[in-house]
Amino acid sequence: MKWKASVDKADAKAALKPSVNIGGRLFFDSALFSQNQASFAQVGDAENATKLRWAWIELKGSMLENVDYRFWVDVSNNVNILDAYLDFHDLPYFQNFRIGHFFEPFSMQQLTPNKYLTFMERSSPFNLGRDLGLMLHSDNANANWTYGAGLFMNEDSARPPFYQNDEDSLAVTGRFTCLPWYDEASDGRGLIHLGLGGSYRHLADQTLRFRNRPDAALAPYIVDTGNFAADNYSLIGLEAAYAYGSFIMQTEYHRAAADTLSFGNEYFDHYYIQASYVLTGENRAYNRRSGSFSNRIVPYENFFRVRTEDGRICRGRGAWEIAYRYAHDDLNSDNILGGRDYRHLFSLNWYLSPYTRAMFEYNYTNTDDTTASNGLLHVFQMRMQFEF
């Protein structure tokens, strides 16, 4: 009896310990650039480059019965804290409560993890990124809607996350999505997604800047408002997606309204539309918990090429995906001229396995700014991606 009591006590103690799951991801990027004289005048010399884009170490697990945690760091350049939060789930009425450092609930593209993105980079100059805050959100794998709403520190750009200021720098951000159509019989191979997001952001340092690259992390910024004085700004985001089998089309529109100190309200815009098709028949599953395509493509057969005992070659092809994106930034307003760009992206993605992907992209960008017009920048880039 004493032995059984000690075993029960040990089991009860072990049940209180947090579970730990370890993972990570590595992205290696290379880019080649070609530009005309107008582009050189706008952004300078775009030099060819190779970089370890991301090297993440990921820890996540459960604490107690209804608390999950996540702690992610990027070690590709020093040590940068990414996600660091507690998530309390199965709560009455609100479902989940999260506190810590994490993505604000805005934009389908932002809330799609980078390892699942169709293209190498996100498109918008208005992505909010990760900030310190707290959030109520849904978490239901069977629902046809999602919501997220929270309070965040607006100027939390330091790593590790840190904010210190006598002035208020709070942001209020929220997002709601719904599925007017979801084909239950095929487990979501056919669906229509609609979403709306918004954010109001007070600026403690009264300084604001919007800028963007041509969907390539190794490229220079091609549109840039520079710093300007503003008290606050607001964002609105509209999103829609259609999926049918191996085909996905999605689009988003973002509009920023800045309350400047010198000129009153100034407005800036961004939109993109993209389509992808998996040539080998697989599909990217929709995640009903997050309201995004946050699931991996699983090849029907992994890539391999080996010689068999009888001397023949045996091979698997993996999964192949083609994609196109058109994107436009307009960072010109009445009194602030940050430039306009028009971007065409073509991508070929090869999924060697569910956890290994090679990406090949060509980006064509035409930019007009105060320096020159029709600045043409061509980007040829590739990525080798591995996760564990």
Side-chain angles (χ1 to χ4, degrees):
M1 295 297 294
K2 290 184 178 180
W3 174 82
K4 185 177 186 305
S6 64
V7 170
D8 291 342
K9 183 177 180 180
D11 290 342
K13 184 177 180 180
L16 295 175
K17 290 184 178 180
S19 64
V20 179
N21 297 299
I22 301 175
R25 63 190 75 168
L26 297 172
F27 293 2
F28 294 93
D29 289 6
S30 293
L32 303 175
F33 301 97
S34 175
Q35 58 189 147
N36 66 0
Q37 193 60 40
S39 174
F40 187 88
Q42 291 168 347
V43 302
D45 185 14
E47 297 182 317
N48 302 336
T50 299
K51 181 181 181 180
L52 176 60
R53 178 73 172 96
W54 298 115
W56 291 13
I57 298 174
E58 306 169 0
L59 301 177
K60 61 181 180 180
S62 300
M63 303 170 60
L64 304 177
E65 295 183 353
N66 71 324
V67 183
D68 296 332
Y69 73 89
R70 177 176 290 178
F71 181 70
W72 290 2
V73 295
D74 175 31
V75 296
S76 60
N77 183 18
N78 298 319
V79 177
N80 295 319
I81 295 177
L82 302 168
D83 284 347
Y85 65 78
L86 295 177
D87 203 45
F88 300 80
H89 52 86
D90 298 327
L91 303 179
Y93 306 113
F94 300 109
Q95 295 190 24
N96 280 44
F97 172 74
R98 182 176 298 177
I99 184 169
H101 190 256
F102 51 89
F103 269 130
E104 296 190 32
F106 183 81
S107 171
M108 174 171 54
Q109 197 176 69
Q110 176 177 287
L111 297 178
T112 301
N114 55 14
K115 61 183 178 181
Y116 301 139
L117 290 172
T118 303
F119 293 87
M120 289 172 60
E121 300 296 334
R122 299 178 176 93
S123 182
S124 177
F126 308 124
N127 286 328
L128 298 180
R130 295 173 168 89
D131 284 309
L132 285 170
L134 49 87
M135 177 178 71
L136 296 169
H137 68 100
S138 60
D139 188 17
N140 189 334
N142 298 311
N144 287 333
W145 57 273
T146 72
Y147 91 94
L151 295 173
F152 299 89
M153 301 307 304
N154 183 31
E155 296 170 22
D156 159 35
S157 59
R159 297 292 185 269
F162 175 75
Y163 177 78
Q164 185 177 35
N165 198 309
D166 288 333
E167 299 296 327
D168 169 33
S169 185
L170 282 178
V172 181
T173 305
R175 176 178 181 252
F176 175 80
T177 73
C178 67
L179 293 170
W181 172 57
Y182 184 88
D183 187 24
E184 297 282 0
S186 65
D187 197 21
R189 283 179 64 92
L191 62 88
I192 293 175
H193 160 104
L194 298 175
L196 171 66
S199 183
Y200 173 82
R201 317 180 69 78
H202 186 262
L203 303 170
D205 61 3
Q206 297 188 328
T207 301
L208 185 58
R209 182 182 193 178
F210 296 121
R211 57 182 179 172
N212 205 9
R213 305 178 193 267
D215 297 353
L218 299 177
Y221 290 100
I222 55 174
V223 287
D224 189 348
T225 63
N227 291 330
F228 60 94
D231 181 67
N232 62 77
Y233 73 101
S234 59
L235 289 174
I236 187 170
L238 304 175
E239 56 191 63
Y242 169 77
Y244 191 81
S246 301
F247 174 79
I248 296 176
M249 177 176 287
Q250 70 182 57
T251 182
E252 294 189 68
Y253 169 75
H254 296 159
R255 183 173 179 83
D259 182 10
T260 70
L261 299 184
S262 301
F263 312 116
N265 288 332
E266 301 285 340
Y267 300 94
F268 310 92
D269 299 276
H270 161 82
Y271 68 85
Y272 76 87
I273 183 170
Q274 69 183 47
S276 62
Y277 183 76
V278 185
L279 300 172
T280 46
E282 296 87 347
N283 74 297
R284 186 188 308 278
Y286 182 85
N287 188 334
R288 298 167 81 174
R289 298 174 60 188
S290 64
S292 64
F293 292 96
S294 303
N295 283 307
R296 68 184 79 252
I297 289 178
V298 180
Y300 290 145
E301 57 180 21
N302 291 338
F303 167 75
F304 63 91
R305 183 179 173 88
V306 297
R307 187 176 297 279
T308 62
E309 292 182 354
D310 59 5
R312 301 174 61 185
I313 298 296
C314 184
R315 64 180 65 84
R317 63 187 178 185
W320 291 82
E321 177 186 38
I322 56 174
Y324 167 76
R325 174 194 286 166
Y326 174 76
H328 172 57
D329 298 320
D330 186 353
L331 298 189
N332 286 343
S333 61
D334 291 338
N335 300 284
I336 299 172
L337 302 179
R340 296 187 180 97
D341 68 61
Y342 309 86
R343 308 193 300 278
H344 299 270
L345 286 76
F346 303 87
S347 181
L348 175 65
N349 299 326
W350 181 21
Y351 299 83
L352 288 76
S353 77
Y355 303 96
T356 308
R357 174 169 67 164
M359 307 179 72
F360 309 91
E361 284 186 12
Y362 165 65
N363 301 2
Y364 168 83
T365 300
N366 187 329
T367 305
D368 295 329
D369 67 6
T370 57
T371 304
S373 62
N374 296 319
L376 304 182
L377 178 63
H378 305 266
V379 184
F380 305 86
Q381 61 181 352
M382 69 166 293
R383 167 176 292 167
M384 195 66 205
Q385 170 183 324
F386 170 72
E387 53 177 303
F388 58 90

